[in-house]
Amino acid sequence: MSDDRDWRPVGRVEDWPAEGARVIELGARRIGVYRHQGRWYALKDICPHAGVGLARGPVQDRQVMCVGHGWRFDLETGDLTEGPKGRNFTVAAYPVRERDGVVEVGL
Ligand code: FES
């Protein structure tokens, strides 16, 4: 199957805790790469509310909570799951894969 994404290596699997996030930079992009319940996720690391780094927040049930004001975002889609009603705040989500012990983010 062809894949025209631009996959960028961002570290080795062992660089991450079993549960947790690291912030990486790819060009001008600042991205939080999360390891959660055996899966990988990546979200732009800027809260759309007031710019706080999302990866600083706790992760639970595949959602990260912003430490700024408590909004929550789905790690898979970047959708706002808890926050102001009727507002469509979404953060960019990126695919992540693991290859030969290397974590890669697709742009
Ligand atoms: S800065 Fe993230 S909820 Fe306010």
Side-chain angles (χ1 to χ4, degrees):
M1 191 169 96
S2 72
D3 180 352
D4 57 2
R5 286 191 188 280
D6 180 9
W7 290 98
R8 306 279 185 90
V10 296
R12 295 199 57 82
V13 170
E14 59 266 27
D15 296 336
W16 272 261
E19 282 286 326
R22 293 181 63 215
V23 177
I24 55 100
E25 293 187 0
L26 288 176
R29 295 180 176 92
R30 186 176 162 85
I31 298 172
V33 180
Y34 300 78
R35 192 180 194 186
H36 175 57
Q37 296 180 337
R39 291 194 55 198
W40 295 95
Y41 305 93
L43 291 182
K44 178 178 178 180
D45 198 48
I46 300 174
C47 181
H49 179 219
V52 171
L54 290 174
R56 293 168 49 198
V59 172
Q60 189 175 18
D61 300 332
R62 214 186 70 181
Q63 298 168 62
V64 61
M65 186 188 82
C66 179
V67 296
H69 308 89
W71 295 10
R72 292 179 190 271
F73 298 88
D74 185 301
L75 289 178
E76 180 92 46
T77 64
D79 291 341
L80 180 69
T81 57
E82 193 173 316
K85 302 290 180 233
R87 301 291 295 271
N88 184 24
F89 289 103
T90 299
V91 294
Y94 302 91
V96 186
R97 71 182 182 187
E98 200 181 304
R99 286 206 147 179
D100 299 326
V102 175
V103 181
E104 298 178 334
V105 171
L107 299 179

